[in-house]
Amino acid sequence: MAQKRIVKEYSELQKKPLDGMRISLPSEADMHQWQILIDGPKGSPYEGGVFTLHLSLPTEYPFKPPTLSFKTKIYHPNVTNDDKGSMCLGMLRADEWKPSSKIEAVLSFAKALLLEPQPDDAVEGGIAREYKENKKEFIKNAKAWTKQYAKK
Amino acid sequence: MSAQSYDTFVLAFSDPTSNSPNPQRARINANSSFELFDDSHIRTLSSNNGGGDIEGLLYVPTLQQFDPCVNASAQYVPNNVTRLSNLPQAEYVYIAFAPWISAACTKSYLAAAQGITAFMFYVPDNGTTIPPPVNDETWDLHDGGQWKAHYRFPVYAIPGTEGAATMQQLAQYSGNSSNDEISAILSEVQFDQSDYVRLYTSFGTTGSNNLPTLWAFLLIVLGIVLLLIGATSVSMHYFQRRHRRALQRRVENGEVDLETLGIKRSHRIPPEEIEKLPTYIYIPTNDTPNEVNRAQFSELSSETAAENHTFFSQSSCTICLEDFIPKATEVRSLPCHHIYHPQCIDPHLASRSSRCPVCMAQVLPTKNEPITNAMVRAERRLRERQRMHGGSADGIDGTWWITNFRRQLERGRRVFSAPDTTSGTTQPTRSQIEMNAVGGRTVSSPMPAASNRTAAEMSGPQTEADEVRPPAADVNARRERMRRRLSRMRGPERTLEDEEAERWARMPRWRRAVGTMFPGFR
């Protein structure tokens, strides 16, 4: 069932791709691991960068939420700064996930988060504080990181 | 009771058998009569007797007429010595006194003594030192010590010289007022001339006084300790029960959901119950059912038939995202009116959750399963974490230390229900996770230009330190996410209930007893 649904969602996203996103499978044999290239949204400090994301779908999908992580380093209050790059998405939490949620919604949400970080729900406290208190500095840092790590 | 001392003195007393209106007794001054006190030379040969004072009028038991011991002891026991017949036969207790000449004579004397409180012997050897110890052959009656069990009164021994002196005085004070000395004593204390003047012995025993008070003291202390333990246990039970009730209420009011919080094992639905959930042939809302379809709805009750249009407005299965084929697909309807392919929803209900995947409504009415103390703790922990997380705004204001301080207080307050520190071997401890988190953080510096911290510190006037050490609330939240992520990676989720059951099974028996007595003490 999981396989069927994943194939369906994948082909739908291939047919009608989301704006500024390219989805591919690192391994054709494994439908559970997706690679997503996402363009930094216009008007955000990430503009001009391309970020690689990894979406991992558990075998229990859609009953268990997928996990989304940034492979490209990003200066963002809701993405951990470690090598995992885990993204904090409310809808991906085990207790908030609903099987009726689609990957499309997850990806749209991730994109919206790039455009508008949520410092109150942060995993990186320092960045969140900077975002709230010193936005200029934040934008400067985020742009610098985008330039360094997320070049096209 | 073993004796530490003894005191033999002269006692004047009125005859208790005479109908004297006011019975009198008086201890006669040692200067004008006799007294023997010794607190270092008495040997206890047999320490029978339960307790109380060991004292009484002193006399020498009278042996059988033809007992060879009568002759053997004649040289030590004067003819006019005090005998039982010289003592009043009521009200007073007696102590027998005799020389220890031989095993046979001692046996005779022991047998001759009747109704006595104790027996006092002396070896007529003119010794002044303490008599030999109990296991000395002097005291061997050739019966393997059975006499001690047979005669249920204590037996003491005093030095030879003291014994001889006592024997002499026992002869002195045996008669009536025809004896000048006795008459003088009775006059001195202004007693009637028909009253008695006799020797009286009192033993100073150990334990008889001290031991009971010591025991009483110990018992009192023990009682207080037990009372305190009991009170603590009762109050802990009381508070835990109150917390359980409070959580139960909140669950009933729908404020918290323990299953989605991962605290409670979500109960699965047995297959036979799933089979009871109705299945229909899918017909979309805009498709008016024709006669043929009505026939297919034979199992429908009139009530649900009326609601047909409501639940059939859903056009696809949210689990597999496949569209339902009108008039062909079989769909299962949950009480919340969400419909699924039976092959999609049945395994979910049977093995994963008893809730509708779309609206999270319980498919079966929730059974009122008992709330455990561990659930209360876990729920409070989660709530606090959420509060900390929500309070990260404080942290950003620069008042994060208040949050931190509050957390410290919280930690102190929860002595009786501290968060679990170990959650099994398969799962990394929380501190490890935190270390990982901090480690990862230090390696990947948030500064883009600096590849490591030292460089950043040397080069930058940046607020590096602040960023490396985030507010406590953030660490908390972050730790929580790490934990979540790890628990996701771990595969099938274990609920707190499972963990608690395992922990309990691992505990030694005494630890479980303590846990039962003091709920919440971990």
Side-chain angles (χ1 to χ4, degrees), chain B residues 140-358:
Chain B
D140 189 5
L141 294 189
H142 313 301
D143 65 351
Q146 276 182 14
W147 63 276
K148 294 179 185 177
H150 186 257
Y151 297 105
R152 304 199 60 84
F153 44 77
V155 179
Y156 306 113
I158 58 172
T161 46
E162 290 178 10
T166 305
M167 193 58 89
Q168 197 193 334
Q169 296 297 322
L170 211 49
Q172 186 80 35
Y173 298 99
S174 63
N176 52 29
S177 56
S178 60
N179 178 308
D180 289 346
E181 199 171 338
I182 288 174
S183 177
I185 288 170
L186 288 173
S187 310
E188 188 189 317
V189 294
Q190 298 176 335
F191 273 35
D192 193 276
Q193 287 294 314
S194 67
D195 286 348
Y196 288 92
V197 175
R198 294 288 180 268
L199 287 190
Y200 194 88
T201 299
S202 162
F203 295 95
T205 53
T206 53
S208 64
N209 290 325
N210 299 342
L211 209 61
T213 52
L214 189 72
W215 274 109
F217 177 72
L218 282 177
L219 280 177
I220 289 168
V221 169
L222 199 72
I224 291 172
V225 167
L226 281 177
L227 203 75
L228 283 177
I229 291 175
T232 314
S233 174
V234 165
S235 60
M236 280 170 88
H237 272 288
Y238 172 73
F239 282 115
Q240 299 277 347
R241 203 174 82 133
R242 256 183 39 171
H243 290 150
R244 283 201 304 272
R245 289 247 171 115
L247 184 59
Q248 180 87 53
R249 263 198 305 279
R250 290 173 53 227
V251 167
E252 279 163 15
N253 294 344
E255 288 171 42
V256 278
D257 186 357
L258 297 179
E259 285 161 40
T260 36
L261 288 177
I263 293 174
K264 211 166 155 184
R265 208 178 292 128
S266 51
H267 40 267
R268 333 299 198 207
I269 300 184
E272 62 271 19
E273 290 290 330
I274 295 173
E275 282 305 311
K276 283 186 197 160
L277 296 166
T279 56
Y280 308 115
I281 301 299
Y282 172 73
I283 293 173
T285 316
N286 50 12
D287 219 22
T288 317
N290 56 31
E291 290 305 311
V292 182
N293 286 324
R294 275 191 203 287
Q296 285 175 323
F297 291 134
S298 56
E299 0 166 33
L300 278 177
S301 70
S302 58
E303 192 195 332
T304 45
E307 291 176 52
N308 261 352
H309 300 280
T310 327
F311 51 77
F312 283 20
S313 63
Q314 194 184 323
S315 67
S316 64
C317 172
T318 54
I319 293 175
C320 64
L321 304 178
E322 296 289 337
D323 288 337
F324 299 124
I325 302 160
K327 297 173 199 171
T329 313
E330 189 192 17
V331 294
R332 192 182 294 289
S333 166
L334 303 189
C336 55
H337 296 172
H338 286 114
I339 52 174
Y340 303 92
H341 291 118
Q343 65 270 27
C344 291
I345 191 69
D346 289 5
H348 172 71
L349 293 177
S351 61
R352 290 202 43 82
S353 165
S354 60
R355 293 162 177 282
C356 168
V358 171

